[in-house]
Amino acid sequence: MSEVAHHTGGCRCGAVRFEATATPHHVSYCHCDDCRRATGAPVAAYVGFMADEVTLRGDSLARFDNGPVTRSFCSVCGSPIAYTDARIGDRIYFMLGAMDQPALYKPTHHSYVRSQLPFVHMPDSLPRHVKTSVPRPDGTDA
């Protein structure tokens, strides 16, 4: 994980900014269908923090709820910013590409590889999870 003291990022146009003051607890790739549709990319990458460690600024921050998942984005430029999931508590996962210094956040595993597109080849030795890589408080791995 990155040793940066303040982790910052934002949208493409600058209308939404965020900052976290703690080390990320999670950096991963996600291959699920929902993340593909939300990002428009064949695979997504996220940097996770506890929600109380994060400050979000910007009047143009918009949200879209899809079941237990809430995705935030800039309503001006459309950049995806983050997601939260009611099933896993007070955590927020920022798009790795929305970080000001994305090269500092190297993913440590893949999740939902059962949904990985057949043409996506990522020849790394990272652990691969068939479903989620984030433990659920209720013990499920949905």
Side-chain angles (χ1 to χ4, degrees):
M1 301 279 170
S2 171
E3 298 301 323
V4 176
H6 289 277
H7 307 273
T8 59
C11 67
R12 185 174 185 208
C13 73
V16 174
R17 297 290 303 158
F18 59 85
E19 178 178 5
T21 56
T23 301
H25 63 74
H26 195 89
V27 182
S28 69
Y29 294 111
C30 185
H31 298 272
C32 81
D33 182 62
D34 192 53
C35 287
R36 277 198 306 273
R37 290 179 184 278
T39 64
V43 63
Y46 296 99
V47 181
F49 297 92
M50 300 307 293
D52 63 357
E53 301 167 343
V54 172
T55 302
L56 277 157
R57 295 182 306 279
D59 293 337
S60 65
L61 187 66
R63 290 179 171 78
F64 176 76
D65 295 324
N66 183 21
V69 175
T70 298
R71 297 192 182 269
S72 58
F73 59 95
C74 175
S75 64
V76 175
C77 67
S79 296
I81 302 295
Y83 84 90
T84 59
D85 186 331
R87 298 170 293 188
I88 55 177
D90 295 330
R91 301 174 189 199
I92 186 166
Y93 297 86
F94 290 101
M95 300 300 305
L96 190 145
M99 303 301 293
D100 287 340
Q101 296 180 297
L104 297 178
Y105 305 94
K106 184 178 178 183
T108 57
H109 50 261
H110 296 261
S111 61
Y112 290 95
V113 295
R114 70 176 180 191
S115 301
Q116 184 172 333
L117 295 173
F119 60 82
V120 173
H121 300 284
M122 301 176 80
D124 55 46
S125 60
L126 298 178
R128 285 166 159 69
H129 304 272
V130 173
K131 292 184 179 181
T132 184
S133 58
V134 178
R136 307 279 193 234
D138 65 3
T140 64
D141 64 354

